[in-house]
Amino acid sequence: GKLITFIDTPGHAAFCSLRSRGAKIADMAILVIAADEGMKPQTLEALQCIQAAELPMIVAINKIDKPGANPVKVKNELMKNNILLEEYGGKIPAVETSAKTKQGISDLLEIILLTAEVTELTADYAKLASGAVIEAFIDPQRGPIATLLVQEGILKTQDIIATSSACGKIRAMEDFLGKSIDKAYPSKPIIVMGLDKVPI
């Protein structure tokens, strides 16, 4: 019954700046580690981004359905990197999951909601709308397009918005499914048209 917005940043080592930007606007982080591969250099890089942003963290040990899966090895690797999991007396929850068979996914969602409750995640609807630009590009037909994440307040069509590099009046807004909307609430990812140029 609750809405969760996921920002999926690529795991590849080349996407460090993207992970860093994702960590800056997220409320919590889910560190996904493949049970058959264990920790990689980019896992440590992602950990540094999460720790620098001081985000609450959940570990998802994924692909536990695979024949070579070794969740215990992954947990030991985490311990060696000072990540103290709840089951070893620490504070970080770990969930064994399989995106393929859906095993552990409902547990993961439950822990996300519990973490949101414990960290008292709230947003103020009465404030002026504010948020972050996640992606932006130029569309040949519709002009500058920006994907935004509203963090406070309620954003409406016809509102005037500004970033450090662009401004304009919202002509149209769409939700993540491409459906036209006239209001966007906190935690809602939206596509906005009406900026004078592509924002940074």
Side-chain angles (χ1 to χ4, degrees):
K2 301 274 198 310
L3 292 173
I4 305 171
T5 296
F6 291 93
I7 300 170
D8 182 17
T9 62
H12 194 276
F15 295 99
C16 180
S17 66
L18 195 58
R19 274 196 294 278
S20 177
R21 288 204 306 275
K24 280 180 190 146
I25 59 169
D27 294 312
M28 70 182 76
I30 301 163
L31 184 69
V32 182
I33 306 172
D36 60 333
E37 291 176 357
M39 290 183 76
K40 300 197 153 216
Q42 56 264 35
T43 313
L44 292 170
E45 208 175 72
L47 263 173
Q48 286 165 357
C49 291
I50 293 164
Q51 287 165 338
E54 296 180 355
L55 289 174
M57 181 172 70
I58 299 162
V59 174
I61 302 170
N62 195 33
K63 300 185 182 178
I64 57 162
D65 56 287
K66 288 188 116 181
N70 189 347
V72 174
K73 179 180 169 250
V74 174
K75 289 171 187 176
N76 288 336
E77 286 175 348
L78 285 162
M79 293 288 281
K80 281 179 193 159
N81 285 282
N82 298 317
I83 303 302
L84 300 176
L85 301 177
E86 275 180 351
E87 61 192 272
Y88 298 133
K91 290 186 178 176
I92 297 166
V95 189
E96 294 180 19
T97 62
S98 165
K100 195 174 179 182
T101 68
K102 306 291 181 268
Q103 185 184 337
I105 299 298
S106 58
D107 295 336
L108 178 62
L109 294 172
E110 211 170 286
I111 287 172
I112 291 168
L113 294 177
L114 186 66
T115 304
E117 213 172 278
V118 169
T119 55
E120 296 178 344
L121 285 181
T122 56
D124 189 343
Y125 283 31
K127 276 187 175 178
L128 277 173
S130 65
V133 178
I134 297 174
E135 309 184 296
F137 62 94
I138 192 95
D139 182 297
Q141 271 82 46
R142 305 188 296 175
I145 302 282
T147 301
L148 310 179
L149 185 68
V150 179
Q151 293 171 302
E152 298 279 2
I154 303 166
L155 192 64
K156 300 181 260 329
T157 49
Q158 302 304 311
D159 278 355
I160 292 169
I161 59 169
T163 73
S164 60
S165 59
C167 63
K169 191 177 196 179
I170 300 176
R171 275 196 334 263
M173 280 195 297
E174 293 174 356
D175 66 10
F176 70 100
L177 297 168
K179 189 176 142 223
S180 184
I181 56 171
D182 54 12
K183 275 184 192 169
Y185 293 89
S187 273
K188 193 156 183 116
I190 50 161
I191 292 164
V192 166
M193 286 143 268
L195 289 163
D196 60 349
K197 56 181 148 174
V198 177
I200 294 166

